Short mmCIF file of all heavy atoms in Angstrom, two decimals:
data_model
loop_
_atom_site.label_atom_id
_atom_site.label_comp_id
_atom_site.label_asym_id
_atom_site.label_seq_id
_atom_site.Cartn_x
_atom_site.Cartn_y
_atom_site.Cartn_z
N MET V 106 74.92 105.48 121.25
CA MET V 106 76.33 105.66 121.20
C MET V 106 76.79 107.07 121.78
O MET V 106 77.76 107.16 122.40
CB MET V 106 76.90 105.39 119.77
CG MET V 106 76.70 104.04 119.25
SD MET V 106 77.58 102.77 120.25
CE MET V 106 76.23 102.04 121.22
N GLU V 107 75.96 108.01 121.42
CA GLU V 107 76.21 109.37 121.97
C GLU V 107 76.18 109.37 123.47
O GLU V 107 77.03 110.03 124.19
CB GLU V 107 75.23 110.31 121.36
CG GLU V 107 75.58 111.87 121.70
CD GLU V 107 74.63 112.81 120.92
OE1 GLU V 107 73.72 112.39 120.19
OE2 GLU V 107 74.92 114.01 121.01
N ALA V 108 75.20 108.60 124.05
CA ALA V 108 75.12 108.54 125.45
C ALA V 108 76.26 107.83 126.08
O ALA V 108 76.58 108.01 127.29
CB ALA V 108 73.73 107.82 125.80
N CYS V 109 76.99 106.95 125.28
CA CYS V 109 78.17 106.27 125.78
C CYS V 109 79.38 107.19 125.91
O CYS V 109 80.36 106.82 126.51
CB CYS V 109 78.45 105.05 124.86
SG CYS V 109 77.24 103.72 125.06
N GLY V 110 79.34 108.29 125.25
CA GLY V 110 80.43 109.27 125.31
C GLY V 110 81.42 109.16 124.23
O GLY V 110 82.53 109.63 124.35
N VAL V 111 81.00 108.62 123.04
CA VAL V 111 81.95 108.57 121.90
C VAL V 111 82.13 109.99 121.28
O VAL V 111 81.31 110.88 121.50
CB VAL V 111 81.41 107.63 120.84
CG1 VAL V 111 81.21 106.21 121.49
CG2 VAL V 111 80.11 108.06 120.23
N ASP V 112 83.17 110.03 120.50
CA ASP V 112 83.47 111.30 119.79
C ASP V 112 82.80 111.44 118.38
O ASP V 112 82.75 112.56 117.93
CB ASP V 112 84.96 111.41 119.70
CG ASP V 112 85.66 111.42 121.03
OD1 ASP V 112 85.54 112.36 121.73
OD2 ASP V 112 86.31 110.40 121.31
N GLY V 113 82.41 110.34 117.83
CA GLY V 113 81.82 110.39 116.49
C GLY V 113 81.22 109.09 116.12
O GLY V 113 81.33 108.13 116.90
N VAL V 114 80.56 109.07 115.00
CA VAL V 114 79.93 107.83 114.58
C VAL V 114 80.24 107.63 113.08
O VAL V 114 80.39 108.55 112.25
CB VAL V 114 78.40 107.87 114.68
CG1 VAL V 114 77.96 107.63 116.15
CG2 VAL V 114 77.75 109.10 114.16
N LEU V 115 80.46 106.35 112.76
CA LEU V 115 80.66 105.88 111.35
C LEU V 115 79.28 105.26 110.84
O LEU V 115 78.80 104.31 111.41
CB LEU V 115 81.74 104.79 111.27
CG LEU V 115 82.03 104.17 109.97
CD1 LEU V 115 82.66 105.23 108.99
CD2 LEU V 115 82.94 102.99 110.17
N VAL V 116 78.73 105.97 109.87
CA VAL V 116 77.39 105.57 109.41
C VAL V 116 77.49 105.07 108.01
O VAL V 116 77.83 105.96 107.05
CB VAL V 116 76.39 106.79 109.50
CG1 VAL V 116 75.03 106.42 108.98
CG2 VAL V 116 76.37 107.24 111.00
N VAL V 117 77.15 103.91 107.74
CA VAL V 117 77.21 103.29 106.39
C VAL V 117 76.03 103.72 105.55
O VAL V 117 74.89 103.89 106.11
CB VAL V 117 77.32 101.77 106.50
CG1 VAL V 117 76.06 101.15 107.00
CG2 VAL V 117 77.83 101.15 105.13
N GLY V 118 76.25 103.88 104.27
CA GLY V 118 75.12 104.05 103.33
C GLY V 118 74.41 102.78 103.31
O GLY V 118 74.94 101.71 103.20
N PRO V 119 73.03 102.74 103.37
CA PRO V 119 72.26 101.52 103.32
C PRO V 119 72.59 100.67 102.17
O PRO V 119 72.29 100.93 100.97
CB PRO V 119 70.82 102.02 103.25
CG PRO V 119 70.94 103.47 103.95
CD PRO V 119 72.20 103.99 103.52
N TYR V 120 73.29 99.56 102.44
CA TYR V 120 73.96 98.79 101.39
C TYR V 120 72.99 97.78 100.80
O TYR V 120 73.17 97.31 99.64
CB TYR V 120 75.22 98.11 101.94
CG TYR V 120 74.98 97.48 103.30
CD1 TYR V 120 74.65 96.11 103.34
CD2 TYR V 120 75.17 98.14 104.48
CE1 TYR V 120 74.45 95.52 104.53
CE2 TYR V 120 74.93 97.60 105.71
CZ TYR V 120 74.52 96.25 105.69
OH TYR V 120 74.28 95.62 106.95
N TYR V 121 71.98 97.30 101.57
CA TYR V 121 71.00 96.35 101.10
C TYR V 121 69.93 97.03 100.37
O TYR V 121 69.51 96.56 99.23
CB TYR V 121 70.50 95.56 102.20
CG TYR V 121 69.66 94.33 101.85
CD1 TYR V 121 70.35 93.15 101.40
CD2 TYR V 121 68.27 94.34 101.78
CE1 TYR V 121 69.53 92.10 100.97
CE2 TYR V 121 67.54 93.28 101.33
CZ TYR V 121 68.20 92.12 100.92
OH TYR V 121 67.48 91.01 100.48
N ASN V 122 69.47 98.14 100.86
CA ASN V 122 68.40 98.92 100.14
C ASN V 122 68.82 99.56 98.83
O ASN V 122 67.99 99.62 97.86
CB ASN V 122 67.88 100.02 100.98
CG ASN V 122 67.79 99.66 102.53
OD1 ASN V 122 68.72 99.09 103.05
ND2 ASN V 122 66.70 100.00 103.15
N LYS V 123 70.06 99.96 98.79
CA LYS V 123 70.61 100.59 97.58
C LYS V 123 69.65 101.73 97.09
O LYS V 123 69.15 101.72 96.00
CB LYS V 123 70.83 99.58 96.42
CG LYS V 123 71.81 98.47 96.77
CD LYS V 123 71.99 97.48 95.64
CE LYS V 123 72.97 96.40 96.07
NZ LYS V 123 73.13 95.43 95.00
N PRO V 124 69.60 102.77 97.91
CA PRO V 124 68.72 103.91 97.53
C PRO V 124 69.29 104.76 96.39
O PRO V 124 70.41 104.59 95.92
CB PRO V 124 68.71 104.75 98.89
CG PRO V 124 69.93 104.40 99.56
CD PRO V 124 70.26 103.01 99.21
N THR V 125 68.45 105.73 95.95
CA THR V 125 68.94 106.68 94.97
C THR V 125 69.88 107.60 95.66
O THR V 125 69.92 107.64 96.90
CB THR V 125 67.71 107.47 94.34
OG1 THR V 125 67.03 108.08 95.54
CG2 THR V 125 66.67 106.52 93.79
N GLN V 126 70.45 108.54 94.92
CA GLN V 126 71.31 109.47 95.53
C GLN V 126 70.51 110.46 96.48
O GLN V 126 70.95 110.74 97.57
CB GLN V 126 72.04 110.34 94.46
CG GLN V 126 73.04 109.51 93.73
CD GLN V 126 74.08 108.90 94.60
OE1 GLN V 126 74.66 109.55 95.46
NE2 GLN V 126 74.31 107.63 94.35
N GLU V 127 69.29 110.75 96.10
CA GLU V 127 68.40 111.53 96.92
C GLU V 127 68.13 110.77 98.23
O GLU V 127 68.06 111.32 99.35
CB GLU V 127 67.09 111.94 96.25
CG GLU V 127 66.19 112.75 97.15
CD GLU V 127 66.81 114.19 97.40
OE1 GLU V 127 67.71 114.62 96.78
OE2 GLU V 127 66.28 114.72 98.41
N GLY V 128 67.89 109.44 98.07
CA GLY V 128 67.74 108.61 99.30
C GLY V 128 68.89 108.61 100.27
O GLY V 128 68.67 108.68 101.40
N TYR V 129 70.08 108.48 99.64
CA TYR V 129 71.27 108.55 100.52
C TYR V 129 71.29 109.92 101.21
O TYR V 129 71.60 109.93 102.40
CB TYR V 129 72.52 108.40 99.62
CG TYR V 129 72.87 107.00 99.26
CD1 TYR V 129 73.05 106.71 97.93
CD2 TYR V 129 73.08 106.05 100.16
CE1 TYR V 129 73.48 105.37 97.50
CE2 TYR V 129 73.44 104.69 99.81
CZ TYR V 129 73.63 104.46 98.47
OH TYR V 129 73.96 103.09 98.09
N TYR V 130 71.04 111.00 100.51
CA TYR V 130 71.09 112.32 101.05
C TYR V 130 70.14 112.39 102.25
O TYR V 130 70.43 112.90 103.39
CB TYR V 130 70.80 113.39 100.02
CG TYR V 130 70.66 114.68 100.69
CD1 TYR V 130 71.78 115.52 100.83
CD2 TYR V 130 69.45 115.26 101.15
CE1 TYR V 130 71.78 116.77 101.46
CE2 TYR V 130 69.42 116.51 101.75
CZ TYR V 130 70.52 117.28 101.96
OH TYR V 130 70.52 118.42 102.52
N GLN V 131 68.91 111.94 102.03
CA GLN V 131 67.90 112.05 103.02
C GLN V 131 68.21 111.15 104.31
O GLN V 131 67.95 111.60 105.45
CB GLN V 131 66.43 111.68 102.53
CG GLN V 131 65.98 112.70 101.47
CD GLN V 131 65.74 114.08 102.07
OE1 GLN V 131 65.59 114.33 103.24
NE2 GLN V 131 65.82 115.03 101.14
N HIS V 132 68.82 109.96 104.04
CA HIS V 132 69.18 109.17 105.19
C HIS V 132 70.21 109.80 106.04
O HIS V 132 70.07 109.95 107.36
CB HIS V 132 69.77 107.84 104.58
CG HIS V 132 70.34 106.87 105.66
ND1 HIS V 132 69.53 106.06 106.42
CD2 HIS V 132 71.57 106.62 106.05
CE1 HIS V 132 70.23 105.43 107.20
NE2 HIS V 132 71.50 105.60 106.97
N PHE V 133 71.29 110.31 105.40
CA PHE V 133 72.35 111.03 106.21
C PHE V 133 71.90 112.35 106.79
O PHE V 133 72.31 112.67 107.88
CB PHE V 133 73.67 111.17 105.41
CG PHE V 133 74.43 109.94 105.26
CD1 PHE V 133 74.26 109.19 104.01
CD2 PHE V 133 75.28 109.47 106.26
CE1 PHE V 133 74.95 108.00 103.88
CE2 PHE V 133 75.98 108.32 106.06
CZ PHE V 133 75.80 107.53 104.88
N ALA V 134 70.97 113.03 106.08
CA ALA V 134 70.43 114.30 106.66
C ALA V 134 69.67 114.03 107.86
O ALA V 134 69.81 114.83 108.90
CB ALA V 134 69.58 115.03 105.56
N ALA V 135 68.88 113.02 107.90
CA ALA V 135 68.09 112.65 109.10
C ALA V 135 68.94 112.34 110.28
O ALA V 135 68.68 112.82 111.38
CB ALA V 135 67.12 111.57 108.78
N VAL V 136 70.05 111.62 110.03
CA VAL V 136 70.96 111.25 111.12
C VAL V 136 71.73 112.46 111.63
O VAL V 136 71.80 112.75 112.86
CB VAL V 136 71.98 110.21 110.63
CG1 VAL V 136 73.03 109.89 111.71
CG2 VAL V 136 71.32 108.93 110.23
N ALA V 137 72.12 113.40 110.65
CA ALA V 137 72.84 114.55 111.11
C ALA V 137 72.02 115.51 111.92
O ALA V 137 72.51 116.12 112.85
CB ALA V 137 73.32 115.26 109.89
N LYS V 138 70.71 115.59 111.60
CA LYS V 138 69.81 116.47 112.36
C LYS V 138 69.51 115.85 113.76
O LYS V 138 69.11 116.60 114.70
CB LYS V 138 68.50 116.60 111.68
CG LYS V 138 68.61 117.37 110.31
CD LYS V 138 67.25 117.37 109.59
CE LYS V 138 67.35 118.01 108.27
NZ LYS V 138 66.12 117.93 107.45
N ALA V 139 69.76 114.63 113.96
CA ALA V 139 69.41 113.92 115.19
C ALA V 139 70.51 113.88 116.21
O ALA V 139 70.30 113.45 117.33
CB ALA V 139 68.93 112.44 114.90
N THR V 140 71.72 114.29 115.85
CA THR V 140 72.86 114.16 116.79
C THR V 140 73.84 115.41 116.59
O THR V 140 73.89 116.00 115.53
CB THR V 140 73.67 112.89 116.49
OG1 THR V 140 74.72 112.85 117.47
CG2 THR V 140 74.24 112.79 115.11
N LYS V 141 74.52 115.69 117.65
CA LYS V 141 75.56 116.70 117.56
C LYS V 141 76.96 116.00 117.35
O LYS V 141 77.93 116.74 117.11
CB LYS V 141 75.66 117.47 118.89
CG LYS V 141 74.44 118.32 119.21
CD LYS V 141 74.51 119.06 120.54
CE LYS V 141 73.31 119.87 120.75
NZ LYS V 141 73.35 120.58 121.99
N LEU V 142 76.91 114.66 117.32
CA LEU V 142 78.28 113.98 117.01
C LEU V 142 78.80 114.26 115.63
O LEU V 142 78.01 114.46 114.76
CB LEU V 142 78.12 112.53 117.22
CG LEU V 142 77.93 111.97 118.64
CD1 LEU V 142 77.60 110.47 118.62
CD2 LEU V 142 79.11 112.29 119.60
N ALA V 143 80.11 114.15 115.51
CA ALA V 143 80.69 114.20 114.22
C ALA V 143 80.47 112.92 113.44
O ALA V 143 80.50 111.82 114.07
CB ALA V 143 82.17 114.46 114.34
N ILE V 144 80.13 112.99 112.18
CA ILE V 144 79.70 111.87 111.42
C ILE V 144 80.72 111.61 110.22
O ILE V 144 81.17 112.50 109.60
CB ILE V 144 78.29 112.09 110.75
CG1 ILE V 144 77.27 112.22 111.92
CG2 ILE V 144 77.91 110.96 109.85
CD1 ILE V 144 75.95 112.66 111.45
N ILE V 145 81.07 110.32 110.16
CA ILE V 145 81.88 109.84 108.99
C ILE V 145 80.91 109.06 108.09
O ILE V 145 80.29 108.10 108.50
CB ILE V 145 83.02 108.85 109.43
CG1 ILE V 145 83.95 109.54 110.34
CG2 ILE V 145 83.79 108.46 108.18
CD1 ILE V 145 85.09 108.58 110.95
N VAL V 146 80.71 109.54 106.86
CA VAL V 146 79.95 108.81 105.87
C VAL V 146 80.74 107.58 105.38
O VAL V 146 81.95 107.76 105.17
CB VAL V 146 79.60 109.70 104.67
CG1 VAL V 146 78.91 108.89 103.57
CG2 VAL V 146 78.79 110.91 105.14
N TYR V 147 80.09 106.46 105.31
CA TYR V 147 80.88 105.23 105.04
C TYR V 147 80.28 104.73 103.65
O TYR V 147 79.14 104.28 103.55
CB TYR V 147 80.67 104.23 106.09
CG TYR V 147 81.37 102.91 106.07
CD1 TYR V 147 82.34 102.65 105.11
CD2 TYR V 147 81.15 101.94 106.95
CE1 TYR V 147 83.07 101.48 105.00
CE2 TYR V 147 81.73 100.68 106.91
CZ TYR V 147 82.68 100.41 105.91
OH TYR V 147 83.31 99.22 105.85
N ASN V 148 81.15 104.79 102.70
CA ASN V 148 80.78 104.32 101.28
C ASN V 148 81.34 102.90 101.06
O ASN V 148 82.59 102.73 101.15
CB ASN V 148 81.30 105.35 100.25
CG ASN V 148 80.58 105.06 98.84
OD1 ASN V 148 79.48 104.61 98.85
ND2 ASN V 148 81.38 105.30 97.83
N VAL V 149 80.43 101.99 100.78
CA VAL V 149 80.86 100.55 100.63
C VAL V 149 80.53 100.04 99.27
O VAL V 149 79.61 100.59 98.53
CB VAL V 149 80.20 99.69 101.63
CG1 VAL V 149 80.70 100.09 103.05
CG2 VAL V 149 78.73 99.72 101.64
N PRO V 150 81.17 98.96 98.81
CA PRO V 150 80.76 98.34 97.43
C PRO V 150 79.31 97.82 97.70
O PRO V 150 78.77 97.42 98.66
CB PRO V 150 81.81 97.21 97.35
CG PRO V 150 82.88 97.59 98.24
CD PRO V 150 82.33 98.34 99.36
N GLY V 151 78.66 97.76 96.51
CA GLY V 151 77.25 97.28 96.55
C GLY V 151 76.29 98.46 96.28
O GLY V 151 75.22 98.15 95.70
N GLY V 152 76.60 99.53 96.80
CA GLY V 152 75.87 100.73 96.56
C GLY V 152 76.93 101.82 96.28
O GLY V 152 78.06 101.53 96.57
N ASN V 153 76.67 102.99 95.94
CA ASN V 153 77.66 103.99 95.77
C ASN V 153 77.01 105.38 96.12
O ASN V 153 76.11 105.81 95.46
CB ASN V 153 78.32 104.02 94.37
CG ASN V 153 79.55 104.87 94.37
OD1 ASN V 153 80.41 104.66 95.12
ND2 ASN V 153 79.56 105.87 93.49
N ILE V 154 77.67 106.05 97.08
CA ILE V 154 77.26 107.42 97.36
C ILE V 154 78.16 108.35 96.48
O ILE V 154 79.36 108.39 96.65
CB ILE V 154 77.43 107.71 98.87
CG1 ILE V 154 76.85 106.70 99.69
CG2 ILE V 154 76.99 109.11 99.21
CD1 ILE V 154 77.29 106.71 101.11
#
Side-chain angles (χ1 to χ4, degrees):
M106 294 298 101
E107 187 170 8
C109 290
V111 302
D112 300 288
V114 284
L115 177 67
V116 178
V117 69
Y120 48 89
Y121 189 79
N122 319 50
K123 299 180 182 179
T125 63
Q126 292 304 311
E127 182 63 23
Y129 281 125
Y130 176 86
Q131 294 298 337
H132 177 77
F133 284 100
V136 176
K138 291 173 185 175
T140 184
K141 295 180 180 178
L142 288 174
I144 296 169
I145 303 176
V146 173
Y147 184 9
N148 192 33
V149 295
N153 190 57
I154 309 167

